[in-house]
Amino acid sequence: DKFTVRVQGGVATIEGTTDVVQRKAAATRMAKAAGAKQVINKVEVSAAAKEKASKNLAEGRRRAQVKRSEVPR
């Protein structure tokens, strides 16, 4: 994976490619956590990654979503 991030006036523009679908969303979350007021995510997800994610969903395999409030401390 290779991402390029440009920030101007509080707007982060992310460009690049990834072989993991979840990394596109992670890049947006990280930019917002770093203080970006707006994020323009132009990251391209590879066809193989899209196919793998689609297959996993069709088979009912998904990562469990756990709310932070549900994690014991």
Side-chain angles (χ1 to χ4, degrees):
D1 297 340
K2 183 175 181 180
F3 297 155
T4 302
V5 180
R6 292 185 322 242
V7 180
Q8 184 174 0
V11 178
T13 301
I14 308 168
E15 296 179 308
T17 58
T18 184
D19 291 327
V20 180
V21 173
Q22 293 85 352
R23 289 186 184 155
K24 179 173 181 169
T28 296
R29 288 192 303 273
M30 285 188 283
K32 287 184 178 180
K37 295 176 185 172
Q38 180 182 357
V39 178
I40 300 169
N41 190 329
K42 297 181 178 181
V43 172
E44 295 288 330
V45 178
S46 71
K50 289 179 185 178
E51 184 177 322
K52 181 179 177 183
S54 178
K55 182 179 175 185
N56 286 343
L57 285 174
E59 293 176 358
R61 292 178 15 193
R62 295 185 349 170
R63 290 185 180 191
Q65 297 293 318
V66 178
K67 293 181 182 178
R68 291 182 183 174
S69 60
E70 296 173 356
V71 176
R73 293 179 188 224

